[in-house]
Structure formats: C-alpha cells, structure tokens
Amino acid sequence: MSHTMEWNPETLKNLSQCFLNTLSTQPEPRRAAEKALSDAADTVNYGLAVLRLVAEHSVDDQIRHSAAVNFKNHLKQRWVTSSATPISDPEKEQIKQLIVPLMLSCAPKIQAQVSEALAVIGNHDFPKLWPALLPELRASLETALNGNDFASVNGILATVNSLFKKFRYQYKSDPILLDLKYCLDNFAAPLLSTVESIAVKINAAAGSGPGSVVTLRQLIEAQRLCCRIFYSLNFLDLPEFFEDNADKWMNHFKNYLTTRYPAVEDSGADGLALVDELRAAVCDNISHYMEKEEELFQKYLSGFVEAVWNLLVAASASPSRERLTVTAIKFLTIVSTSVHHGLFAGDEILQQITQSIVLPNVMLRDEDEELFEMNYVEFIRRDMEGSDLDTRRRIACELLKGIAGNYKDKITQRVSTQINNCLAMFAENPAANWKYKDCAIYLVVSLATKKAGGASVSTDLVDVESFFRSVIVPELQGQDVNAFPMLKAGALKFFTMFRVLIPKQIALALLGDVVRFLSSDVNVVHSYAASCIEKLLLVKDNGVQSRYTSVDIGPILPVLMTNLFGALEKPESEENQYIMRCIMRVLQIADISPEVASPCITGLTTVLNRVCENPKNPVFNHCLFEAVATLVRRACEKNPSLVPAFETCLLPSLQMILAKEVTEFFPYAFQLLAQLVDLNRPPVPPHYMQIFDILLTPELWDKSANVPALVRLLQSFLQQAPNELNSNGRLRNVLGIFNKLVNKPSTEEQGFHVLNPIIENLGYDVLSEYMIHIWSSLFTRLQKSKTPRLVRCLIILMSLFLVKHGNQCLIDSINSVQANIFNMILDQIWIPNLKTITGYTEVKLSAVASTKLLCESTLLLDPAAEQLWGKLLDSVVTLLSQPEEERVEDEPELPDFGEATGYQATFVRLHNAGKKEEDPLKEIKDPKHFCIALLANLSAQFRGRFPPVITRYVSPANQAALLQLCTSYNLVIA
C-alpha cells in the first residue's frame, strides 16, 4: 500500500475483504487480515478510509461493525501522539467533519461504536480544538426531535453524555470550569427544552396503546440520558440556570418516580429495567441536590421521600431491581443523616424500614447464590469489607447506620428483635430456613462499628462471645465442609471480623476446624478460611504483642500447609490470592524446619512455573514472590545447609523468567537472586557470575521498573565478589551504569546505591584511575540540577570515601578535577547541607567523616582555613545535637514525568528480600562520643587555638550544645 490511502472502489473492496477475513473462524486468513490492517494503519488517511467504509450502506453490516470497532481502536492509539504513527492534522479535520452525520445514519450497533469513537476524539479535542461539535450536535438534536427520529436523538444524547462525563471525574480548576461554562452556555437551555419535549411525547405514546411500545422505550431511554447529562452539568457546582428552573426539573423528576408505564414495564424484565434505570438516574440527581443544596431542595423533600419510599417498598419485594433499590436507599440515607432526620423518627416508620426495606434486601436472593457459585472472585469483592461496590445488602445496612446516628437505641432494639426472629425461624427448620440464619449473621457483621485505623470492632446488637458460641461455633464444627456453603462462609466471615474480641483459647480450639475448611471444594469457603487464618495471625495485643505465635501454629502446621497447597489445586483457585496471602503470612510466623521447608519450596516453585506461562493476577503474584522470599530468608538463615537445595529448586525458574522475558517478573526475579547471592559465602559460584554478566546488559537498565531491583542485585555482587568485579572490564561497565542512572532525576539516588559499594569494597589502587571521571560526572550533574536529594547523596558518598580511603585521597582526587575545587565543594555543598542528612547510619557516617576532616586534614588545620573550620564544626554540632524533625525541612521531591507513557511493569519491593543495612563504621558504637573525643584530642595538641574560632563561627545555641556534649562525656575543648 502507498503512503497515502486513496479512497476508491479498489480500497473499498480490499478493506471490506480484510474486515470480512478478521471474522473468519480459520486462523490463517484471520491472522493475515489482522496483519494487513495493522501494517496499513501507518498509512496517511487510513482512519478516514475505514470511516468511509463504515458509512457505505451497500456493505454488509457485519463488516461495517468490524470496521467501526477497528476505527475506534485506531483513534484510541493514534489521536494523541504516542509511540504509534499519529493521525495527521488534515486527516483529523476531515474525520471531525464526517463523523456526526455518519453516526446518525448508522444502525444502533454500529452507531454505538462510532459514538464511542467520537468520545475518544472529544476527550482530547473538546471543546477548545473542536468548537463546531456542540453546535452541530445541538442542531442535529433539534432536527431529530422535530422529525420524531428517536434513534438519532438517543445517539446524540449518548454522545453528549460521554463528552460531559469528564466533569464528574475532575477536580475543580479554572480550565475545567471554563469548559463547563462553555457547555452550559451551549447546552443547558436546550437540555431543558429537550426534556420538556420528550415528556410530552412520552405522555402521548403511553396513552396510545400497544403499537407505540418501541417509541415509548426509546423515549424513556432518551429521558434517562438527559438525567445523566443533568448530573454531569450539576456535579461540580449547581449552575444558576438549573436553580432558576428547579421547579420544572423537580416536577419532571417526581413524575418519573410516581408514574408507571405498564406497556413497557410489563413487557418482560428488560422493560422494567429500562424504566428503573430512568428512576435510578433521577434518584442520583435528587441525592446530589440534597447533598449540595439542601436549602433549595427542602421544599420538594417530603414529596420525594414519599415517592422514593413507595417505590422502594415495591422494589424491595421484587427479586431483581438492584440498581433502583440501591440508589433509592442512598437517597433516604442522605436524608436520614441530614437536619431532616425527624422524617424517620416515628416508631411505625422505623418498624416499616426494618421490616419492609432492610430485611427483604439483606435476605439472600437467587442471584446472590448464583454469583457465589459461578463467580467467587466477584462475590468476595462485593461481600468482603471495604468494597466500594454498592450492593443492596450493604446499602440497606448503611441506611440503618444513617438512622442510628440519631436514633441509636430504637434501631438497636428493632434490629436485635429481627436477629432473634431470624434465629428462631432457623431453629424451627434448619435445612429449609438456613437463609434466615445467614441474614442474622450478616446484620451483626455489617452493623458492627469499626474503630478508626485498627482491626478492632464492636457491636451493641448481641453479646459477641455468646453469639459466637451459640450461632457460629456449631457451623464451624459441622463435619461436612461442603454443606450449606453460604452459611459456612458467613460464619468464617464473623470469626474474621470479631477476631480481636474472641479470646485466644476459644479461637485456638477452633483453628483446626478452620484449617479443615481449606479443603472445601467451594471457592468462597476455602478463600474465607484462608483469610480468617491470615487475619488471626496479624492480631496484636496492646498494639505491639502478636497474640498468635509459632508455638500456637506449630501443632497444626503440617496439615495447614498441606491444605493450603491443596486448595491451590482446586478448579478456579489456581491463582487464589487469599490462599497465597495466607501461605505468605504463615511462613512469616511459623517455625520453619527442613521438613516443612522442603515441600514448601517445591510447592511454591511449581506454582511459580505455572504463573510464568501467563501472569494474570498481580496480587497473587506479589504474595507468591513474597512467600518465596520469606521462606528463603527464614529457612536458610537459620539453616545454611538448605541453600543448595533451594538453589536447585529456584534457579531454573528464575533463569526461565529471564530467558522467556517474562518482564512483569523481572523486578521480583532480581530481588530473589540478590537474596541467594547474599546467602553464598565468597567466592561466588560460577553460575551466579553468568547472571552478573547478564546484569550488565544496558537494555535491562532502560526499563525504570527494573532499576531498583537490578541495583539491589548489583549491590549483592559488589559486596560478595569485589575481586571478580575487577576482571573482564566489568568495573568499567558498572561505572557506565552508574553514570546512566545518576544523570536521570528519577534514578539518581539508585546511581549512588551502585557507586557506594564500589567505593566501600575496592582498594584505592583499583579506584584511583576512575575517580576523576566519577567526580567530574557528579559535579556536572550538580551544576545542571542541584536537587536536595542529589546533594545529600553526594555528602554521604564523600563521607564514605573519606572513612574508607582517608581524607588526603578524597581531597586530592576531587582537586584533580580542578585546582582547589574541594574548598568550594566543602563551603557551598558540604557545610550548608550537612544538617539535612537523615538515617542512623548516614548521620553517623557523615558526622564521623566531617570530624575527621576537622581534626586530621592538613587543609583545614591550616590557620588560613579557620573560617571553613569553624563553619564545618557548627554544622557538625547541629547534626549531632538536634533531632531530625527540627533540622530537616520536608521538601517535596517532584516526580519525573518524562517516562510515564504506556503500560509498564512496576517495581514492587519484596519486604523479605530486603537488604540488611551495612554499617561501614561498625566499630564506632557512639558517634557523638567518637566525634567529641577527636575534637578534645585535637584541642589538647593546640591548646588555646580553637576556643576563639568557636566563639566567632559557631552559633550561640550550638556553642551551648557543644559544651553540654563535652560535659556529658567528661571531655574539654580548651
């Protein structure tokens, strides 16, 4: 194909054939067509040609639909400049001119795709770069309404809805408010006249018999879209136009909450859902007004409360109608927590709320059971605490909580009665009435009050211990782990929720039962059992002391691990994150003997090899690698003889990750390799040195996600194999990597993590030839961008260099860059920023190095340098005497926005593969004592010389602090 795609019968024929072949069931023609289209996408006017194909009514609808999807995806990738060839400006202009009329001429399925494509352009260009769009949509809307072309009306409204949605997801800012004003000026009045016009047409269609059902359905959908547009335009602020016309809007809203449309509602479930979606959209709007502008809304309030109430009682008794129920209850909840809570104060009303609204919505429905069986991941997401999904069960409990804010005793009394009634119903016939028991448990769990920030919960509804004993324990002791699974799940959830309140001896007695439920075939049940164990192991008494220790889980450890690994074999739980999180937690706490370690490492490696084929679940994968890191750390540190067996298991898997380029796992693999290198005693075995050489390939370092993990691995090699570093040009390569890292703001700190171990572990005879380049590179970087972080890293590096290789080597090597540059660095960088150093090891290192300069360097002991000497001492005293929070200002580090394009693997630190902090000055136990002793020793040699310098250059506060330090160590500076 040429570089520009011409539009002619030939192109139409070729493209049509390609799109037809992409629908083929045969892989060969399908792949060939996909490749041809992907190659053609780089040519100029490709998007325009595909759009024209979509517009060709002579072409089969299936082909046009496939082309419309391709067009939408093409715009997603290329409308905004990215790595793909962008669409040219002239082509963009032509697409914008064609797309609206074309969208309106398409059949609904194709129209939906084109409308989405239009929204892709709109998200970027609207309104500033596409001023013609809104006037064009407005004019088309008027024409379509007058011509009763409701398919087009809905196409236009759906597009406007997509364009205006952005106002719901943005913070208020001047540009956004300007865009909003433009949309209001152009569309607020037309929106109201559209709503009024559609309302008239709805009434006419509703009264004219069954022939107009199709029209009525379209009109109801149109009114729903108008409500969503209303929501977007009112989201950030309530505009004047809407406030001035509030009566009109509220009348329409109320009308849709109180009118039935039997012709549509009784024509099957989807008809009822259509009308309910309109009512739900109205509930969202009135809730918004109630929250934002309660004074304006109060005159409509009682009418709306009554309308919503009546709808809700009907909807709660129906098996479906979830969305309407949730939005209606939300509205009542907002009212119940406002100054108008008195509307709910009456005993009769409270009785009705618990009886007719809360209870029916908390009782399990068929669709809950279906979700429980068919999609356990989604069930848990909705059921577990903290989901932001509004389910009718949760939202019904939120209403009770809202009312309890003002009428706590009345609600507690009524709900307690309901709980007892439910349990009595269950007792009459447990097999048939198990859902009543589930309902009782759900109410206690959902209405529990959480203490901020902790795992602690409480409830006034029941006495937790006796409820646990009489209601929960019988379920947990049930011998059949697959019977009444929803009830078992509820019982496990209760145990998890109230774990802090249940005494240790009672909980321990039941732990074996919970472990048994790991072998249930029901995914939710074994997931909740794993979650229960994992959360129990995290319980702390008095905020510090772990309640359950290795001694407590020792007796059940073998069966616990067997059942956990067994659960990972069950269908659909192969990547169950709750199971893997539990494995990780148990390994962090249990006492790991070789008998446990061996099957665990084999089991984890098997799982690792499986997920490498197709990594899907990031949480599961993270817990898996964390579990491996924990096992390696805790088993091998206690018993180094296990290292070879662990290597035999793990190294092939880690090498496979690198060989097969499973890039998502690179950061994890490098951290685990670092752990294994650390466990080896020098000399490092040859197979690790192969990995060391792979580590030096520059391409690996291009991905920012890899860098921290690569640095961690490099640090291990530099510490364990410093001699090997100096052969085969490796040192030059490593310094090349340092240079690359330090010259990018996002990785500059990592550059120092590479350089520091080189300075620490290699002799000056090896380093000397490279130092001039290292210092030059750092000082050049400093001139370009003197960030606080770079300055701190540089001071720590110079301090490390000084304590390892002496102050003269430091001064000479820095001065080799430029004569006397050391004095300037000391004066402008080191002295003023010494006080910003944080971290025990870093403060110790820089204080000792600075004091050594003061006491041992001929440069600073020269009487001509007394001002530098005095200022440096002043900084040292600040560093030693002031607490961190007083001497360090929090400066925001700006993120580096340069690289964040497209999806990338991200670096996630494995806590258990972390590096133990090395202290280069282990022999100095008390850095303050060491520094003051050096100074006292110096002043004894030059008696009387330093007190005047101190008086002159050290601040009065620091003079006092210095005196106090001297006194506390019984030393003098005279």
Side-chain angles (χ1 to χ4, degrees):
M1 294 193 182
S2 65
H3 288 305
T4 299
M5 191 174 277
E6 303 297 338
W7 181 247
N8 52 37
E10 177 83 5
T11 305
L12 173 64
K13 186 176 158 210
N14 288 343
L15 278 176
S16 299
Q17 189 57 51
C18 266
F19 283 115
L20 181 62
N21 288 351
T22 61
L23 303 169
S24 165
T25 51
Q26 301 296 315
E28 286 76 19
R30 187 173 70 243
R31 286 200 191 109
E34 283 164 358
K35 183 172 185 332
L37 289 170
S38 151
D39 293 345
D42 284 332
T43 54
V44 179
N45 290 347
Y46 168 80
L48 195 55
V50 176
L51 184 61
R52 287 191 161 132
L53 165 61
V54 176
E56 281 293 327
H57 287 276
S58 60
V59 175
D60 180 68
D61 268 9
Q62 214 185 355
I63 293 175
R64 290 170 62 206
H65 183 262
S66 173
V69 173
N70 177 277
F71 174 70
K72 175 185 75 179
N73 292 331
H74 180 70
L75 296 193
K76 277 183 181 169
Q77 286 164 349
R78 296 167 190 258
W79 194 268
V80 182
T81 316
S82 69
S83 49
T85 315
I87 299 169
S88 70
D89 288 343
E91 184 180 352
K92 283 183 174 180
E93 284 313 308
Q94 284 182 277
I95 288 174
K96 285 183 192 171
Q97 282 163 16
L98 287 175
I99 194 165
V100 174
L102 185 135
M103 175 186 79
L104 299 178
S105 69
C106 291
K109 266 181 80 174
I110 298 171
Q111 187 183 69
Q113 295 298 328
V114 179
S115 171
E116 280 184 44
L118 195 157
V120 171
I121 305 174
N123 283 339
H124 187 256
D125 288 17
F126 176 79
K128 292 186 187 57
L129 301 176
W130 199 355
L133 176 62
L134 204 51
E136 184 180 2
L137 289 170
R138 195 176 65 204
S140 308
L141 179 62
E142 202 174 324
T143 310
L145 263 175
N146 294 336
N148 286 340
D149 172 6
F150 301 127
S152 292
V153 167
N154 286 349
I156 296 160
L157 289 173
T159 303
V160 173
N161 183 35
S162 297
L163 289 171
F164 289 4
K165 265 183 190 168
K166 69 173 181 179
F167 299 122
R168 300 184 213 164
Y169 307 119
Q170 307 255 14
Y171 291 110
K172 268 192 206 179
S173 65
D174 289 344
I176 281 290
L177 292 172
L178 273 172
D179 285 358
L180 177 59
K181 183 180 183 312
Y182 169 86
C183 295
L184 288 164
D185 293 346
N186 277 282
F187 210 78
L191 181 65
L192 180 56
S193 56
T194 303
V195 165
E196 294 184 315
S197 159
I198 292 173
V200 172
K201 292 176 192 286
I202 284 182
N203 290 340
S208 63
S212 54
V213 170
V214 174
T215 305
L216 187 54
R217 290 176 72 109
Q218 287 177 317
L219 289 165
I220 286 169
E221 171 60 7
Q223 214 58 312
R224 181 192 76 81
L225 287 164
C226 288
C227 284
R228 298 311 285 156
I229 294 167
F230 174 98
Y231 186 70
S232 296
L233 291 177
N234 282 272
F235 191 85
L236 289 168
D237 271 321
L238 303 191
E240 214 172 305
F241 174 82
F242 290 97
E243 293 195 357
D244 294 345
N245 290 284
D247 281 356
K248 292 179 182 171
W249 286 107
M250 296 305 153
N251 281 337
H252 287 297
F253 289 162
K254 191 162 165 206
N255 181 32
Y256 296 120
L257 294 179
T258 51
T259 310
R260 277 195 86 243
Y261 299 98
V264 178
E265 293 185 49
D266 303 341
S267 67
D270 66 332
L272 177 60
L274 188 78
V275 184
D276 275 354
E277 282 293 339
L278 167 58
R279 292 170 180 146
V282 168
C283 287
D284 280 337
N285 289 343
I286 60 176
S287 292
H288 187 64
Y289 262 61
M290 180 69 204
E291 280 188 303
K292 283 266 187 189
E293 196 57 76
E294 183 260 321
E295 269 180 51
L296 167 80
F297 191 72
Q298 68 181 20
K299 69 172 180 179
Y300 312 107
L301 181 65
S302 60
F304 273 117
V305 168
E306 188 185 352
V308 170
W309 178 272
N310 292 333
L311 253 184
L312 195 48
V313 173
S316 297
S318 142
S320 49
R321 308 190 79 175
E322 172 121 358
R323 168 126 167 80
L324 173 64
T325 309
V326 165
T327 49
I329 296 179
K330 266 188 168 171
F331 171 69
L332 293 183
T333 306
I334 291 168
V335 178
S336 77
T337 55
S338 74
V339 293
H340 304 285
H341 56 74
L343 289 167
F344 298 110
D347 286 350
E348 199 178 319
I349 289 191
L350 289 173
Q351 186 55 34
Q352 260 190 296
I353 285 176
T354 45
Q355 195 69 49
S356 308
I357 293 177
V358 175
L359 216 66
N361 282 303
V362 171
M363 284 296 278
L364 283 171
R365 318 248 163 150
D366 293 348
E367 56 263 42
D368 297 315
E369 294 188 67
E370 199 173 298
L371 191 65
F372 183 92
E373 284 167 30
M374 305 305 290
N375 186 346
Y376 83 94
V377 177
E378 184 58 24
F379 179 88
I380 293 176
R381 205 162 76 93
R382 293 180 184 195
D383 186 51
M384 276 276 199
E385 261 311 304
S387 156
D388 50 4
L389 278 167
D390 297 324
T391 61
R392 57 200 302 167
R393 298 188 91 186
R394 169 165 301 132
I395 219 81
C397 291
E398 289 301 317
L399 174 60
L400 283 179
K401 284 181 187 172
I403 300 171
N406 293 295
Y407 307 104
K408 185 162 190 226
D409 294 346
K410 288 183 173 184
I411 288 289
T412 304
Q413 182 197 337
R414 275 177 179 70
V415 177
S416 295
T417 307
Q418 292 290 358
I419 289 170
N420 289 330
N421 293 349
C422 285
L423 292 173
M425 287 290 289
F426 170 76
E428 276 174 32
N429 185 344
N433 292 348
W434 65 269
K435 284 184 185 176
Y436 285 96
K437 183 169 185 177
D438 173 85
C439 179
I441 297 173
Y442 189 89
L443 283 169
V444 179
V445 168
S446 299
L447 294 172
T449 346
K450 283 166 212 50
K451 303 267 165 48
S456 182
V457 284
S458 61
T459 178
D460 298 322
L461 293 171
V462 295
D463 172 70
V464 172
E465 252 189 85
S466 70
F467 187 87
F468 186 68
R469 212 172 279 123
S470 59
V471 177
I472 304 297
V473 170
E475 293 303 327
L476 296 178
Q477 289 177 336
Q479 286 312 295
D480 184 348
V481 291
N482 295 317
F484 297 105
M486 294 189 92
L487 205 44
K488 302 292 187 249
L492 286 163
K493 191 174 152 193
F494 184 97
F495 191 179
T496 310
M497 181 82 169
F498 291 102
R499 60 190 178 277
V500 177
L501 294 181
I502 292 161
K504 179 171 176 175
Q505 65 279 15
I506 297 178
L508 274 180
L510 287 163
L511 201 52
D513 287 309
V514 179
V515 171
R516 217 164 28 86
F517 280 106
L518 289 170
S519 63
S520 168
D521 294 327
V522 182
N523 299 90
V524 176
V525 174
H526 59 240
S527 302
Y528 277 15
S531 183
C532 180
I533 295 165
E534 193 253 337
K535 297 273 195 310
L536 272 174
L537 295 181
L538 285 173
V539 173
K540 300 241 186 306
D541 288 322
N542 312 322
V544 285
Q545 190 63 46
S546 292
R547 183 180 294 180
Y548 300 95
T549 63
S550 55
V551 176
D552 300 315
I553 53 174
I556 55 163
L557 189 60
V559 64
L560 171 58
M561 294 320 283
T562 304
N563 286 8
L564 282 166
F565 279 107
L568 291 176
E569 300 296 320
K570 300 204 180 270
E572 290 184 43
S573 273
E574 297 87 356
E575 294 184 33
N576 184 320
Q577 65 192 54
Y578 304 100
I579 302 283
M580 190 47 82
R581 194 189 289 272
C582 185
I583 292 175
M584 172 187 92
R585 194 73 63 215
V586 172
L587 290 174
Q588 283 168 0
I589 288 169
D591 204 3
I592 301 173
S593 63
E595 296 73 44
V596 174
S598 180
C600 276
I601 195 67
T602 315
L604 288 170
T605 313
T606 309
V607 176
L608 177 55
N609 293 342
R610 190 169 65 208
V611 294
C612 279
E613 300 298 321
N614 180 14
K616 294 194 289 283
N617 181 338
V619 178
F620 177 84
N621 295 338
H622 179 75
C623 293
L624 165 63
F625 280 102
E626 195 69 85
V628 174
T630 306
L631 187 57
V632 170
R633 181 175 65 83
R634 298 198 61 232
C636 296
E637 284 181 2
K638 186 177 153 191
N639 193 338
S641 63
L642 288 172
V643 172
F646 272 44
E647 286 180 338
T648 310
C649 255
L650 273 176
L651 280 175
S653 303
L654 298 177
Q655 280 160 336
M656 177 178 77
I657 291 172
L658 299 179
K660 286 195 175 172
E661 299 207 350
V662 189
T663 51
E664 298 95 315
F665 289 169
F666 275 15
Y668 290 128
F670 295 136
Q671 289 176 84
L672 289 178
L673 283 167
Q675 230 188 331
L676 291 172
V677 172
D678 287 346
L679 287 166
N680 274 280
R681 294 285 148 269
V684 172
H687 50 263
Y688 282 114
M689 293 318 293
Q690 289 168 348
I691 294 169
F692 188 18
D693 292 329
I694 295 173
L695 178 64
L696 301 179
T697 37
E699 297 77 48
L700 273 182
W701 293 82
D702 289 338
K703 280 211 168 60
S704 56
N706 289 344
V707 170
L710 285 167
V711 168
R712 163 79 181 85
L713 178 52
L714 195 49
Q715 284 178 309
S716 295
F717 274 121
L718 296 176
Q719 256 155 2
Q720 298 284 40
N723 304 334
E724 288 86 341
L725 176 63
N726 201 19
S727 57
N728 305 342
R730 287 185 185 126
L731 181 55
R732 206 170 284 281
N733 285 348
V734 173
L735 290 171
I737 288 167
F738 149 73
N739 212 19
K740 183 175 185 170
L741 295 176
V742 90
N743 278 303
K744 224 184 202 175
S746 59
T747 56
E748 63 186 8
E749 196 166 6
Q750 300 290 342
F752 285 95
H753 292 329
V754 170
L755 187 55
N756 290 349
I758 294 176
I759 300 296
E760 193 175 345
N761 292 299
L762 293 181
Y764 189 63
D765 52 334
V766 178
L767 289 173
S768 55
E769 63 175 298
Y770 300 103
M771 285 319 299
I772 185 167
H773 306 295
I774 291 172
W775 296 126
S776 306
S777 158
L778 287 170
F779 298 153
T780 311
R781 174 90 185 111
L782 203 57
Q783 277 172 318
K784 272 198 231 152
S785 142
K786 189 174 158 187
T787 64
R789 181 173 56 198
L790 182 67
V791 169
R792 283 197 301 272
C793 290
L794 184 60
I795 293 173
I796 290 164
L797 172 74
M798 293 190 292
S799 301
L800 180 67
F801 190 99
L802 185 146
V803 300
K804 284 291 165 188
H805 307 291
N807 64 63
Q808 208 49 52
C809 286
L810 175 71
I811 294 167
D812 292 347
S813 68
I814 288 181
N815 282 337
S816 68
V817 175
Q818 188 185 316
N820 296 326
I821 194 174
F822 181 79
N823 287 26
M824 194 184 85
I825 296 281
L826 189 61
D827 191 29
Q828 292 175 20
I829 304 289
W830 192 317
I831 291 172
N833 296 293
L834 185 59
K835 67 172 190 287
T836 66
I837 303 294
T838 57
Y840 174 76
T841 308
E842 290 82 354
V843 168
K844 174 177 170 179
L845 180 63
S846 47
V848 167
S850 304
T851 311
K852 278 176 165 289
L853 262 182
L854 286 170
C855 301
E856 295 169 5
S857 143
T858 47
L859 177 86
L860 277 171
L861 289 172
D862 183 338
E866 80 163 31
Q867 184 180 358
L868 266 183
W869 192 94
K871 282 163 66 180
L872 179 56
L873 176 62
D874 188 50
S875 290
V876 171
V877 175
T878 303
L879 185 67
L880 289 176
S881 63
Q882 282 188 25
E884 242 171 60
E885 58 275 15
E886 283 175 30
R887 57 185 170 76
V888 180
E889 290 170 32
D890 271 344
E891 91 290 325
E893 289 285 1
L894 277 177
D896 179 32
F897 294 110
E899 304 159 79
T901 48
Y903 170 76
Q904 290 178 332
T906 47
F907 169 71
V908 186
R909 193 166 74 81
L910 292 174
H911 292 285
N912 285 283
K915 186 134 196 64
K916 287 209 175 59
E917 191 170 274
E918 292 293 329
D919 181 352
L921 298 168
K922 291 189 192 68
E923 67 284 359
I924 297 175
K925 296 289 179 269
D926 179 351
K928 288 182 186 176
H929 186 201
F930 179 86
C931 294
I932 299 299
L934 262 189
L935 285 161
N937 193 17
L938 177 73
S939 75
Q941 291 171 45
F942 299 92
R943 197 165 285 283
R945 174 176 161 183
F946 295 107
V949 182
I950 292 172
T951 310
R952 193 164 169 197
Y953 295 109
V954 176
S955 72
N958 278 348
Q959 288 182 42
L962 182 58
L963 187 60
Q964 198 177 353
L965 282 166
C966 287
T967 313
S968 62
Y969 292 112
N970 208 3
L971 292 164
V972 283
I973 296 172

